[in-house]
Amino acid sequence: MTVTETGPAALAARAEALDAADGLAALRDRFLLPKGVVYLDGNSLGALPAAVPAAVEDAVRRQWGTDLIRSWNDNDWWGAPLRIGDTIGRLIGAAPGQVACGDSTSVQLFNALTAAARLRPDRQVLLTDPDHFPTDQYIADSVARMLGLTVRRVPVGELADVLAAEGHRVAVAAYGPVDYRTGELADMAALTAAAHEVGALFLWDLCHAAGALPVGLDAIGADLAVGCGYKYLSGGPGAPAFIYVAERHQDAFDHAVTGWHGHAEPFAMQSTYAPAPGIARARIGTPPLLSMLALEAALTAFDGVDMAALRAKSLSLTGLFLDCADAMLDGLGFTVATPREPERRGSQVSLRHEHAYPIVQAHIERGFIGDMRAPDILRFGFNALYVTHRDVFAAVEALREITATGEYTDERFAVRSAVT
Amino acid sequence: MTVTETGPAALAARAEALDAADGLAALRDRFLLPKGVVYLDGNSLGALPAAVPAAVEDAVRRQWGTDLIRSWNDNDWWGAPLRIGDTIGRLIGAAPGQVACGDSTSVQLFNALTAAARLRPDRQVLLTDPDHFPTDQYIADSVARMLGLTVRRVPVGELADVLAAEGHRVAVAAYGPVDYRTGELADMAALTAAAHEVGALFLWDLCHAAGALPVGLDAIGADLAVGCGYKYLSGGPGAPAFIYVAERHQDAFDHAVTGWHGHAEPFAMQSTYAPAPGIARARIGTPPLLSMLALEAALTAFDGVDMAALRAKSLSLTGLFLDCADAMLDGLGFTVATPREPERRGSQVSLRHEHAYPIVQAHIERGFIGDMRAPDILRFGFNALYVTHRDVFAAVEALREITATGEYTDERFAVRSAVT
């Protein structure tokens, strides 16, 4: 097979061949995927791992129902945030003792940004991306307001230059490695180094990267990171988030939401906060254990999985999608929003189309679940643990049919739901 | 039966008679209580409501596993925080549209205190209780540090006097109606009025009150309140918390952790925060839905329950406990830490004993689950939805035997667990 074979039949054959040669294909059995669905929205809510239902039932009936309050000891509920933190740590290149699981990304961002600013008390500027996910921008503004800092929005493409020119005033740069709309992947190592070069810290929001590709936080000398548990980690709707604090910053990690679980002696019930040593100080209040234990069970889907192999399959999936789009969607009004260079894309491909909304709705009705982001982006996320190359081909083929036939113009696809 | 009949046999008979006459007795069937256990720790972690396992299984397998991302619309995940907030609202005397469910109590406290201080920008003092639960004190200190305020710790018993004398400098008083150690109940209406008299706001932490007794937030003119979902609300380990913002304060509610779910147009993905109208602005990030839907199912245990009737039964249980303790624990080294006047106690009785720790452990081994708080408090919480008067008698009888016989001195009860 050569690259010139780009007709639908050749692409279908290529998809079959790639699946046949896929060393990770068996991992799909670690998920409970509904029949008739090709799920390309794992970048928004991961599919249900097969280990979760029994784990949650155990958490509800035995741990809560039978063991009751004793579960804090007997089922080590107390240890869950750091135990699960370490499990996530393996997926993001963090040695043990640097990740705590809990709360939402918003809350973790708030604590991480506050602590970052306090680690650089002589600097007044907080850099973030004007295209960053909204919560990241809102929290940056809020922390800056409370601490008397200035937020400056600099596109990620200009960040290295701005850091070089004015970085001496920057306390922290807060960015995501993967643009949530276009799927563009930044050079984490280079940007982290550029910040360090001028004495600034870097806070990475890994929501669209954790579990999707190797992140290597320790290797790149990352300072702080946060991320959610419900996208590529497949921890369930609203699964707890996590925070990474590099070991060298932990003693001085001085955050905002100081709950009693992060106290050095939580059961001494003291009146003033004295942070626990190590990453334990990043714990906040009592975590939502049913959601957290679901996440823990979900993470077993990564057992034994090499993140480099997962990344290779992800690139194979997104690469095939781009090839299929080029060959099969030509002339139908689509443009590709995601960079074509493998090293510049995450585990997602985004297309633009002026009728993105009804096309996505029609696609979903056919069983291909992606999502859209206003005004014109169709997003397709590829979790390489359970998406196949045949899924990719079929998804593009359906897109072609929906668009070429005008199927999407049916009025039932035009009605907007509350949540899109 | 008269009050002079206080011997064990008479008390046992009284317990039986009270259970026989208990109009709420059937509510116990709404919980799945393990055999051989008398559960008196519902003030720390409520027992498992019978409606929860099926609801959680549905949330996992159907809503997450099958409906996947579509559940935000199709199963109204988006509406959950305010829908459940309204359900909690009924139990705390809040008309609809004033309660949002989500996050931990720590986070809700952080937002509530920040917003309270900003509602009184010309005032510099934040009052809280030196005996308040640790997180409440830590968060007060943290918010004050970030906003340049001063925290003053005033015991609840002195609060009215301090407000009268110096209240003109107070932005907000932050207290709990029930002391988590002694179970003492404050006069919420009088203290709220005392704060309002001098133009200050009141923030109530309802962790030990919500679901245990009528709170009547609207009736007392409360400003702000928070509380957790896992104590008397029985929502499961670490169940999401809630925040109450009185309608009159909502337009000016200007909080700290500004997540995208609280935005006026969340799906417009804007760069700057514009709060949603009404209580929706108190939403933060994506909530932990498995834990939140468990809480929603748990709250059905309150369906049709009159909070005044629940309070009457609670006082009957705690009153019987005190009578049993007086009659049966005399001379065994116990003192009662909880006020004897019904209007001054929550739904909890605390005893003090110099050997509190091993006594509680021995009690647990016999199937009577309470807990202890250092250094010397034995805590017994009474959820009137599922605790019986016979449970109360049996618990005190076991305490008597354990102490009188020295059973608790066995070395196996002396070993401290990680979490006590």
Side-chain angles (χ1 to χ4, degrees):
Chain A
M1 196 171 302
T2 76
V3 291
T4 58
E5 297 181 271
T6 56
L11 287 162
R14 186 172 138 207
E16 282 209 31
L18 287 167
D19 282 344
D22 176 12
L24 303 183
L27 297 173
R28 182 176 166 90
D29 293 340
R30 296 184 178 182
F31 291 83
L32 298 173
L33 296 157
K35 285 202 174 70
V37 164
V38 169
Y39 194 59
L40 303 179
D41 211 4
N43 53 323
S44 187
L45 172 68
L48 172 62
V52 168
V56 171
E57 185 170 8
D58 180 70
V60 170
R61 288 190 179 271
R62 184 181 63 82
Q63 298 184 37
W64 174 13
T66 302
D67 294 350
L68 290 158
I69 193 72
R70 296 167 293 196
S71 283
W72 284 103
N73 286 308
D74 296 353
N75 296 303
D76 198 22
W77 284 353
W78 185 261
L82 302 193
R83 182 177 76 233
I84 299 168
D86 280 346
T87 303
I88 294 169
R90 184 183 78 77
L91 304 179
I92 57 177
Q98 298 178 106
V99 179
C101 177
D103 294 89
S104 69
T105 311
S106 306
V107 173
Q108 299 293 8
L109 277 168
F110 197 94
N111 270 351
L113 280 170
T114 300
R118 288 174 173 163
L119 282 164
R120 292 292 180 272
D122 53 334
R123 292 164 176 240
Q124 305 303 313
V125 176
L126 198 163
L127 293 183
T128 196
D129 190 338
D131 293 319
H132 212 336
F133 189 79
T135 281
D136 296 78
Q137 298 191 61
Y138 306 159
I139 298 292
D141 286 336
S142 180
V143 168
R145 174 183 172 195
M146 292 186 85
L147 296 179
L149 306 178
T150 300
V151 175
R152 191 166 155 206
R153 286 168 166 77
V154 173
V156 66
E158 302 167 23
L159 179 58
D161 288 345
V162 169
L163 281 169
E166 306 168 58
H168 58 285
R169 299 192 299 122
V170 174
V172 57
Y175 287 76
V178 181
D179 185 298
Y180 76 100
R181 288 168 307 185
T182 66
E184 180 166 356
L185 176 64
D187 185 337
M188 291 179 69
L191 291 174
T192 303
H196 290 176
E197 189 71 31
V198 293
L201 299 173
F202 216 109
L203 166 59
W204 286 107
D205 179 340
L206 303 178
C207 280
H208 288 268
L213 45 98
V215 175
L217 291 181
D218 288 348
I220 65 170
D223 301 297
L224 297 156
V226 301
C228 76
Y230 51 83
K231 296 182 185 290
Y232 293 95
L233 297 181
S234 303
F242 62 86
I243 184 169
Y244 162 92
V245 183
E247 191 176 10
R248 67 185 180 282
H249 293 310
Q250 290 175 1
D251 285 350
F253 182 80
D254 181 13
H255 55 302
V257 186
T258 46
W260 72 292
H261 281 215
H263 196 280
E265 296 182 81
F267 293 93
M269 303 282 162
Q270 295 175 350
S271 277
T272 53
Y273 190 70
I279 190 65
R281 71 178 57 188
R283 301 175 63 136
I284 306 178
T286 306
L289 277 152
L290 301 184
S291 285
M292 188 171 271
L293 296 173
L295 169 60
E296 182 170 38
L299 292 171
T300 63
F302 288 93
D303 281 356
V305 174
D306 172 39
M307 290 304 291
L310 197 69
R311 170 66 168 161
K313 179 174 174 186
S314 158
L315 287 174
S316 177
L317 293 166
T318 53
L320 178 65
F321 190 98
L322 289 166
D323 288 349
C324 289
D326 287 345
M328 297 155 63
L329 302 181
D330 192 40
L332 294 173
F334 291 96
T335 57
V336 174
T338 304
R340 290 169 184 279
E341 308 93 305
E343 67 279 11
R344 288 187 56 218
R345 64 175 190 259
S347 197
Q348 164 191 335
V349 175
S350 296
L351 305 176
R352 293 184 192 276
H353 194 286
E354 64 172 320
H355 302 301
Y357 184 81
I359 292 172
V360 166
Q361 298 310 309
H363 210 208
I364 289 172
E365 191 179 84
R366 281 175 171 241
F368 298 91
I369 303 181
D371 65 21
M372 66 90 60
R373 282 291 174 255
D376 62 353
I377 284 189
L378 301 88
R379 292 201 308 180
F380 302 99
F382 302 86
N383 187 322
L385 294 173
Y386 54 78
V387 174
T388 69
H389 296 86
R390 270 171 288 202
D391 289 341
V392 168
F393 175 82
V396 180
E397 174 68 5
L399 268 187
R400 188 190 61 73
E401 290 175 10
I402 288 163
T403 320
T405 63
E407 181 177 317
Y408 71 89
T409 60
D410 189 282
E411 63 184 13
R412 72 185 184 281
F413 301 129
V415 181
R416 297 241 170 188
S417 314
V419 186
T420 58
Chain B
M1 195 171 301
T2 74
V3 291
T4 58
E5 297 181 90
T6 56
L11 287 162
R14 187 173 136 205
E16 283 209 30
L18 287 168
D19 282 345
D22 176 13
L24 303 182
L27 297 173
R28 183 175 166 91
D29 292 340
R30 296 184 177 182
F31 291 82
L32 299 172
L33 296 157
K35 285 203 173 69
V37 164
V38 169
Y39 194 59
L40 303 178
D41 212 6
N43 53 322
S44 187
L45 171 68
L48 172 63
V52 167
V56 171
E57 184 170 9
D58 180 71
V60 169
R61 287 190 180 270
R62 184 182 63 82
Q63 298 185 39
W64 174 13
T66 301
D67 294 349
L68 290 158
I69 193 72
R70 296 167 292 195
S71 282
W72 284 103
N73 286 309
D74 296 355
N75 295 302
D76 198 21
W77 284 353
W78 184 262
L82 302 192
R83 181 177 77 233
I84 299 169
D86 279 347
T87 303
I88 294 169
R90 186 184 77 77
L91 304 179
I92 57 176
Q98 299 179 103
V99 179
C101 178
D103 295 88
S104 69
T105 311
S106 307
V107 173
Q108 299 293 7
L109 277 168
F110 197 93
N111 269 350
L113 279 170
T114 300
R118 288 174 173 165
L119 282 164
R120 292 291 180 273
D122 51 335
R123 293 166 175 236
Q124 305 303 314
V125 177
L126 198 164
L127 293 182
T128 197
D129 190 338
D131 293 320
H132 212 335
F133 189 78
T135 283
D136 296 77
Q137 297 191 60
Y138 307 158
I139 298 292
D141 286 337
S142 180
V143 168
R145 175 184 172 195
M146 293 185 84
L147 296 179
L149 306 177
T150 300
V151 175
R152 189 164 157 208
R153 286 168 166 78
V154 173
V156 66
E158 301 167 24
L159 180 58
D161 288 344
V162 169
L163 282 169
E166 306 167 59
H168 58 285
R169 297 191 301 120
V170 174
V172 58
Y175 287 75
V178 181
D179 185 298
Y180 76 100
R181 287 169 308 187
T182 66
E184 180 166 357
L185 176 64
D187 185 337
M188 291 180 68
L191 291 174
T192 302
H196 290 176
E197 188 72 29
V198 294
L201 299 173
F202 216 107
L203 166 59
W204 287 106
D205 178 341
L206 303 178
C207 280
H208 288 267
L213 45 97
V215 174
L217 291 180
D218 287 348
I220 66 170
D223 301 297
L224 297 156
V226 301
C228 76
Y230 51 83
K231 297 181 186 289
Y232 294 95
L233 297 181
S234 302
F242 61 86
I243 184 169
Y244 162 91
V245 182
E247 190 176 10
R248 68 184 179 282
H249 292 310
Q250 289 175 3
D251 285 349
F253 183 79
D254 181 11
H255 55 303
V257 186
T258 45
W260 73 291
H261 282 215
H263 196 279
E265 296 182 80
F267 293 92
M269 302 282 164
Q270 296 175 350
S271 278
T272 54
Y273 190 71
I279 191 65
R281 72 178 57 189
R283 301 175 63 135
I284 306 178
T286 305
L289 278 152
L290 302 184
S291 285
M292 188 172 271
L293 295 174
L295 169 60
E296 182 170 37
L299 292 171
T300 64
F302 288 93
D303 281 356
V305 174
D306 172 39
M307 289 304 290
L310 198 69
R311 170 66 169 161
K313 179 174 174 186
S314 160
L315 286 175
S316 177
L317 293 166
T318 52
L320 178 65
F321 191 98
L322 288 166
D323 289 348
C324 288
D326 288 345
M328 295 155 63
L329 301 181
D330 191 40
L332 294 173
F334 291 97
T335 55
V336 173
T338 304
R340 290 170 183 280
E341 308 94 305
E343 67 278 11
R344 288 188 56 218
R345 65 175 190 260
S347 196
Q348 165 191 333
V349 175
S350 296
L351 306 176
R352 292 184 193 277
H353 194 288
E354 66 172 318
H355 303 300
Y357 184 80
I359 292 171
V360 166
Q361 298 310 310
H363 210 208
I364 290 173
E365 190 178 85
R366 280 174 172 242
F368 297 91
I369 303 181
D371 65 20
M372 65 91 58
R373 281 294 175 251
D376 63 352
I377 285 188
L378 300 88
R379 290 200 310 179
F380 301 100
F382 301 86
N383 187 322
L385 294 172
Y386 55 79
V387 174
T388 68
H389 295 86
R390 271 171 289 203
D391 288 342
V392 169
F393 175 82
V396 180
E397 173 69 5
L399 268 187
R400 187 190 64 72
E401 290 174 9
I402 287 163
T403 321
T405 62
E407 181 176 316
Y408 72 88
T409 61
D410 189 283
E411 63 184 13
R412 74 185 183 281
F413 300 129
V415 181
R416 298 238 169 190
S417 314
V419 185
T420 57

